Amino acid sequence: MRLNRRRFLGTAAASAALLSSPIAVGQKRPRVVIIGGGAGGATAARYLAKDSDGAIEVILIEPSRTYYTCFFSNLAIGGFQPMSKLAHSYGTLASEYGVTVVHDWASAVDREKKVVRLAGGDAISYDRLVLSPGIDFVKGAIEGWDVTAQTKMPHAYKAGTQTQLLKAQIEAMPEGGTFAMVAPPNPYRCPPGPYERVSMVAHVLKQRNPTAKILILDPKEKFSKQGLFMEGWENHYAGMVDWLTDEFTGGVQRVDPDTMEIVLEDETIKADVVNVIPAMQAGSIAQQAGLTNEAGWCPIVPATLQSRMDENIHVLGDATQNGDMPKSGYSANSQAKAAAMAIRHALTGSRAFKPRFSNTCWSLISPDNGVKVGASYVATDEKIAKVDGFISQNNEDDALRKQTYEESLGWYAGMTADMFG
Amino acid sequence: MRALIPALVLAFGFLSGATSVASAQDIARGERLFNACLRCHDVGKDAKNRIGPHLNGVFDRKAATIEGATYSKAMKRAGADGLRWTIDTLNIYIQNPKNLVSGTRMNYRGMRKEKDRSDLLAYLRQFSVSPANIPEASASLLRQDAPSLHEETYLDGDAEYGEYLSGECTSCHQSSGADKGIPSITGWPQPDFVIALRAYKKGHRPHPVMQMIAKRLSEEEIAALAAYFKELH
Ligand SMILES: Cc1cc2nc3c(=O)[nH]c(=O)nc-3n(C[C@H](O)[C@H](O)[C@H](O)COP(=O)(O)OP(=O)(O)OC[C@H]3O[C@@H](n4cnc5c(N)ncnc54)[C@H](O)[C@@H]3O)c2cc1C
């Protein structure tokens, strides 16, 4: 199945390895530790293990045995995907690729000693560390809401039980009830995510509860694929969705999970389901390791994804402040491959190539009605910069929209195979 | 009739120098060339679908839209993506069907001579609703792209570089060759792989993601990818 790598160990590669490898002959093989087995971390683990063919020891630290993809979790809410389809395990990474998967929580990074400490008490040293911890919510971003409130007002912005809870709440809404979303400010994970979600909620309510209403309380003046979503809502869910910006509402002042109220400047709204998606920052381990800036994100060197704070650490995915790439699974996957290549080059002297980045985000608006937006990027000295892009058009014909949806199913299969093997 | 004259003059003016006007002789020659197509394609009064669709009104038709005709999955995909038959796309397709649709059912090596294609198309355009609105003969486009679409520079691609580059493909296309929603790209003959990417790069194929990805691939990179994916199956 796989290309036989040994074929490529020609003299050029071999002598390059001798010249530039910092690992002396006889020394044990270099070790890369990866924190977080999501879109960025799992991809990095797989590519490092696969492409170094055993020359690098790869250890992946991830607390969960099952990773639920956030991508397609909105489709699960809409009833287009069973929850079980979102679940992935690390079995193949371990058995086929030789990745050591440690199911534990990284509690601290000692950058001086190059050691990761685990909640379980172990410590693991590294030659290079890869951090792809995703996002956490900014504490106090919305008054009245903290993670203990998530059982009443779910965010469903980390997939799994949160997704199931939100789905169950929507299905249990009283006739003619209100679903309210408190949308996040920029920058946040998956720019079209909240609006794809609204589409899926509208789809469910249209079937089960057609007099119900959907309110989006949004701190932003505009959002990703806005024209396409608005067109879709009008065509498929006319009169159901109200998008209200802060300019109109004065902004969400606080929420009360016990009474299910959202307090605006001049008005209090009571809703049956309140989906709170607070402001975000890099996953807490990145803050702990001192790799974040004032904004709460990790600045990186574009070409290699090395932290600007520590050249032995590469940060991937949502946690980064990279320039132009959006926080998406596709982006994290794309960055992981560039980083894996740079790490292999640094540790084993393998060939280095110019990094290249790309992203596409598909969204489903209604049955067989998919849209997409995407771009290609290059690394400049200062940021990952957009080169070129495209977006679906308004008024596309049904055949194209259906094909775009089917393509998104293909992408999901391809993407998860690329992450987990 | 009269109303057509300005349009014709315009069209000729536009093409002046580039192409000569199809003469009756050219059309007659095109009809003879069409004999090679007849086993699969019918055209003219009461034309029926055969192995391939009938070709009445093919100009400005969206690909894979004739009721009752049998199309490959790849052709349907191309049609949904927005492939339309114009003088240019037809010219490129007839030149080598795999330029535009890798998995086409049209089992035809291609008509390599430009004069042959232009005569053939001159013949076919008569069976369109308003032939006068179709540019006479084509394809400044293909003429300008022909060398790069077909020159055979792809044989010694650097497969190791291709393997690195393939990371950009495998975010969507599966290395197992699975083909659902997104086509398989493993185990292709190199020439097919190369001309497909060139066609996206030039914008002859309609898919926006593929156009974007291919646009920044150099010839060397396309060759590298072709060399890598050929071995993967
Ligand atoms: C509703 C929704 C829809 C989306 N749809 C799409 C889509 O269609 N397409 C797309 O490309 N993207 C989509 N995304 C975005 C995508 O899910 C994220 O951008 C992507 O998961 C980011 O990858 P990551 O590696 O940065 O983080 P994650 O995938 O979140 O992975 C982080 C991992 O790190 C682990 N972790 C965190 N801290 C620690 C620690 N201290 N120790 C050990 N492990 C730790 C976590 O358990 C987690 O498994 C969507 C997101 C949402 C919420």
Side-chain angles (χ1 to χ4, degrees), chain A residues 3 5 47 333 337 351 353 355-358 372 375 377 388 390 397 400 403 406-407 410-411 413 418, chain B residues 62 77 80-81 158 160-161 163-164 167-168 170-171 174 180-181 207 209 215-217 221 228 231:
Chain A
L3 194 63
R5 184 170 318 282
Y47 273 75
N333 168 268
K337 293 174 213 177
R351 283 170 70 186
F353 302 110
R356 45 207 307 134
F357 305 99
S358 50
K372 61 190 172 190
Y377 305 85
D388 189 14
F390 67 87
D397 66 29
L400 178 53
Q403 176 141 307
E406 283 165 1
E407 193 175 272
W411 167 77
D418 208 35
Chain B
K62 193 168 143 182
R77 202 174 244 155
D81 281 344
D158 173 351
E160 191 183 2
Y161 185 27
E163 180 170 28
Y164 169 65
E168 198 165 27
T170 54
S171 293
Q174 297 194 51
K180 222 180 147 216
H207 196 276
V209 182
K215 210 188 269 177
R216 62 171 176 170
L217 290 171
E221 289 167 338
Y228 172 71
E231 296 296 327

Side-chain angles (χ1 to χ4, degrees), chain B residues 148-219:
Chain B
S148 66
L149 269 173
H150 300 290
E151 77 194 8
E152 311 215 332
T153 53
Y154 45 74
L155 292 173
D156 52 356
D158 173 351
E160 191 183 2
Y161 185 27
E163 180 170 28
Y164 169 65
L165 293 170
S166 76
E168 198 165 27
C169 315
T170 54
S171 293
C172 300
H173 297 276
Q174 297 194 51
S175 50
S176 69
D179 179 11
K180 222 180 147 216
I182 287 185
S184 165
I185 55 170
T186 59
W188 285 27
Q190 278 157 294
D192 291 5
F193 198 98
V194 168
I195 63 174
L197 280 180
R198 284 175 180 166
Y200 283 120
K201 182 173 172 147
K202 304 261 179 206
H204 298 330
R205 291 190 181 207
H207 196 276
V209 182
M210 283 309 304
Q211 286 179 355
M212 178 182 86
I213 297 288
K215 210 188 269 177
R216 62 171 176 170
L217 290 171
S218 65
E219 275 294 306

Side-chain angles (χ1 to χ4, degrees), chain A residues 35-41 61-64 67 70-74 90 104-107 132-135 156-158 189-190 193 196-197 285 316-319 327-332 359-362 411:
Chain A
I35 298 179
I61 303 169
E62 163 62 52
S64 311
Y67 177 80
C70 280
F71 23 108
F72 276 27
S73 64
N74 287 330
Y90 298 91
D104 202 341
W105 181 259
S107 54
S132 194
I135 54 96
Y157 237 64
K158 295 184 181 185
R189 151 177 287 188
C190 193
E196 180 186 56
R197 174 168 298 166
I285 187 72
L316 308 175
D318 290 358
K327 300 185 188 303
S328 75
Y330 196 131
S331 295
N359 176 60
T360 298
C361 286
W362 284 265
W411 167 77

Side-chain angles (χ1 to χ4, degrees), chain B residues 139-148 202:
Chain B
S140 50
L141 243 185
L142 184 63
R143 194 170 312 124
Q144 147 205 330
D145 291 341
S148 66
K202 304 261 179 206

